[in-house]
Amino acid sequence: MFCKRMAAIHKKGRERLEELREQHRAESERLLGVFGDVLSVVRDATAPPEAGTGSPQALPTGGPAGAETEPMTVGAERAGRMVLKTLADAGGVVGLPAAYEAVAAHHGNNYLPLLEPFYRSHRAALFTLVDTLALEATTADHAVLDAVEFIRTTRHRRGDWIPGQATIVRDGQQVTVSVEVDAFAGDMWRTALRDKKHPGMLARRHLEVCVFSHLAAGLRCGDIAVTGADSFANFHAQLTTWEQCAPLVEEFCAQAGIPADATELTSFYRGMLTGIAAQVDAGYPASTDLRLEGGKPVLARRKGADRRVSALRLEEAIHDRLPERNLLDILACSAYLIGWHRHFGPASGSDAKIRDKLGRAVLTVFANGTLLGPAQVARHMRGQVSAHELSWAANKHATCAKIDAASVDVINEFAKLDVAGVWGTGRVAGTDGSQIETWEITSSPSPTSATAATAGWRCDTYRILTSPCSVTSFRAGCGKPSTSSKDCCGTSPISSRIRFMPIRKASRCRCSGSRH
């Protein structure tokens, strides 16, 4: 939560910077126009006179020194008068600096000075967090943790600017805590923390935001850990200690083919590096990928070789035999060939008063089986169907029993395909796409019906789960036209081996009223 909150503060700061840029865009264009006018009048004042006018040249290139001084003075005076008049028309030397400071404060990409207003409302909670947690550094760099201790010490200060050191009394002794901003803060943060008018001082409010930001970054990358935590624990504590590794050194070095003695190991690797360096130096003149620029090695990007004609033909053949299919086409095709949509309809058993029953059933199964929902599916259908029509069909024309019956049709047809035998024995299947524990099923691979989208339909907020022998079992196991669990209990070698995930919570299904 702390890391997410600091990320949200930075996001608001970037958005505020964009808003200020839009607000000051007109003022920036006006200031640029004033600058262009100043350049124009100076150019006109210092330009050489036209032929025959007799005016002195502003910048003569020859002649005595005394003759050169007077024309330059006259041109400078004229340029100065014209510049002052231009600035006066644009707001004067009093209004223009204020406008420039307002625009120049946000002309770059530095949004860090804008974070403090968004941080202010979370200040108390963040200090409570660092007071509660025990933080530790996982590296030799303790600059951020020292900064955290410093802002905890100065949290009750009221001044805008504070020195970089503070003295506190701890266990009856005076202790000096300090913050080294240059050790962890970047150039943008240093610009916000320091001011030429306050040498040796730091902006207190900006310093707190800076320290909390770097603390969040350290927690995310693992440089700072929380004692007793799980996700933010010190990962070094999980490593094997040297006392545990010392007895295994000899055996490991023997297997790796390296010396076990420290001095011999250093000499061994130094010799290897020297040999590799000699090989690189010998091959550098003929290398076209590596070059030296300013004493630094630069590795050029290598262009890949052209693909062979046989590879292009293979790719084309694969695309011809595996055309692209989308899920809606698969559902519509399976509904047309199998007819599983016939199970959905009014509770009375009469025919549904829907013009395109197949299309409505396909869209309803797609909306609920993929968990997109009626609203999202209707939005992508571009007015062809409304969210009300999809939700109405799901609530009025579908029950758990009807979904099971449609799943039976799909699973039984799938069992007839050769692909079931290619994936495994064809005797075990997971039909709803969920991750099923296979430790109790069998060690052989098991097929999964990707086209049985109806089995992934959810009633309320819980997945429809079935018992080991239910109407979703393979009828091909015992050869009987199974319509209930009684027809295949004890006879189907397939249904007896199907296992499903345990039900976490009993919930009442909205569509049938039964408990699952």
Side-chain angles (χ1 to χ4, degrees):
M1 292 174 63
F2 168 69
C3 295
K4 290 181 179 179
R5 181 162 299 186
M6 294 306 303
I9 291 175
H10 279 260
K11 181 180 179 181
K12 292 180 180 179
R14 289 189 289 266
E15 293 175 353
R16 179 57 179 165
L17 178 62
E18 294 298 329
E19 293 176 0
L20 292 175
R21 284 177 175 175
E22 292 297 328
Q23 294 176 6
H24 295 157
R25 187 180 300 276
E27 189 68 16
S28 302
E29 295 176 356
R30 188 182 74 87
L31 292 177
L32 287 176
V34 173
F35 180 69
D37 295 340
V38 170
L39 292 180
S40 178
V41 297
V42 171
R43 184 176 61 251
D44 295 341
T46 58
E50 297 181 0
T53 58
S55 300
Q57 292 185 3
L59 295 175
T61 56
E68 181 181 353
T69 304
E70 184 176 359
M72 291 184 62
T73 304
V74 174
E77 292 178 356
R78 183 172 58 175
R81 289 194 300 270
M82 298 177 67
V83 168
L84 291 176
K85 183 179 182 302
T86 302
L87 295 178
D89 296 339
V93 294
V94 178
L96 286 176
Y100 166 75
E101 291 178 0
V103 174
H106 311 293
H107 71 279
N109 293 324
N110 190 4
Y111 65 92
L112 301 178
L114 305 174
L115 299 181
E116 192 272 333
F118 306 105
Y119 153 80
R120 194 178 305 160
S121 60
H122 306 295
R123 182 175 184 268
L126 297 181
F127 272 107
T128 303
L129 177 68
V130 296
D131 291 340
T132 305
L133 299 179
L135 303 174
E136 59 175 329
T138 60
T139 63
D141 187 6
H142 294 74
V144 176
L145 292 185
D146 293 341
V148 172
E149 184 65 22
F150 178 82
I151 63 174
R152 290 177 59 188
T153 304
T154 59
R155 63 183 297 182
H156 300 295
R157 299 283 184 89
R158 291 294 180 263
D160 293 336
W161 299 90
I162 58 176
Q165 293 183 349
T167 303
I168 60 174
V169 178
R170 182 183 298 170
D171 298 333
Q173 298 180 355
Q174 289 187 350
V175 180
T176 301
V177 293
S178 61
V179 55
E180 296 292 339
V181 177
D182 297 336
F184 61 90
D187 295 336
M188 291 186 177
W189 272 119
R190 297 173 193 172
T191 304
L193 296 176
R194 293 170 177 164
D195 191 357
K196 295 180 180 179
K197 299 180 182 179
H198 303 84
M201 308 290 284
L202 298 173
R204 180 179 58 86
R205 295 183 176 88
H206 294 315
L207 178 63
E208 293 179 359
V209 185
C210 173
V211 173
F212 281 125
S213 300
H214 285 83
L215 176 60
L219 289 172
R220 284 193 297 265
C221 67
D223 291 342
I224 299 176
V226 180
T227 304
D230 184 12
S231 300
F232 295 93
N234 187 355
F235 64 93
H236 291 291
Q238 304 175 7
L239 302 179
T240 307
T241 61
W242 174 248
E243 288 74 11
Q244 297 173 335
C245 295
L248 306 176
V249 172
E250 293 289 342
E251 182 180 359
F252 172 79
C253 293
Q255 294 179 359
I258 57 178
D261 183 70
T263 305
E264 297 179 359
L265 182 64
T266 304
S267 302
F268 174 77
Y269 280 117
R270 183 180 288 111
M272 291 182 59
L273 291 175
T274 303
I276 295 176
Q279 295 178 6
V280 173
D281 291 341
Y284 172 73
S287 177
T288 58
D289 300 329
L290 182 64
R291 65 181 186 275
L292 295 177
E293 294 183 358
K296 297 181 179 180
V298 177
L299 186 62
R301 179 179 297 179
R302 174 172 294 183
K303 297 182 179 179
D306 295 336
R307 300 175 62 184
R308 294 181 297 178
V309 179
S310 58
L312 296 176
R313 291 178 179 175
L314 176 61
E315 181 181 3
E316 184 179 356
I318 292 176
H319 286 303
D320 290 340
R321 298 189 180 186
L322 294 177
E324 182 179 356
R325 307 291 187 188
N326 57 65
L327 185 56
L328 277 176
D329 291 342
I330 295 174
L331 284 175
C333 183
S334 63
Y336 178 78
L337 296 177
I338 301 174
W340 53 259
H341 64 285
R342 71 183 185 278
H343 298 287
F344 300 107
S348 61
S350 59
D351 294 336
K353 303 300 187 291
I354 299 176
R355 182 175 304 176
D356 186 7
K357 183 179 179 181
L358 187 147
R360 184 72 60 83
V362 167
L363 290 177
T364 304
V365 170
F366 177 78
N368 293 272
T370 59
L371 300 183
L372 288 176
Q376 286 290 342
V377 174
R379 183 179 302 174
H380 292 287
M381 291 303 295
R382 299 180 179 179
Q384 298 182 15
V385 65
S386 64
H388 172 72
E389 292 174 340
L390 294 178
S391 61
W392 183 86
N395 294 332
K396 301 297 183 180
H397 289 183
T399 62
C400 293
K402 295 178 180 179
I403 297 173
D404 286 343
S407 300
V408 167
D409 291 347
V410 176
I411 295 172
N412 290 335
E413 293 297 329
F414 174 79
K416 300 176 183 179
L417 301 177
D418 296 337
V419 68
V422 173
W423 286 343
T425 60
R427 298 171 60 87
V428 182
T431 60
D432 61 350
S434 60
Q435 299 294 328
I436 301 175
E437 297 291 344
T438 58
W439 58 273
E440 198 176 350
I441 302 178
T442 178
S443 59
S444 61
S446 59
T448 300
S449 176
T451 60
T454 57
W457 196 317
R458 291 173 181 256
C459 278
D460 201 358
T461 58
Y462 299 93
R463 185 180 298 277
I464 298 174
L465 300 177
T466 58
S467 58
C469 187
S470 68
V471 293
T472 58
S473 304
F474 284 114
R475 289 181 294 180
C478 55
K480 297 181 179 180
S482 174
T483 57
S484 66
S485 59
K486 297 180 180 180
D487 295 336
C488 59
C489 285
T491 60
S492 174
I494 299 177
S495 61
S496 61
R497 300 179 65 185
I498 295 181
R499 297 292 184 269
F500 297 88
M501 297 178 65
I503 302 175
R504 297 182 178 178
K505 180 180 179 182
S507 63
R508 187 168 297 278
C509 180
R510 293 182 300 177
C511 47
S512 65
S514 59
R515 298 184 66 83
H516 299 274

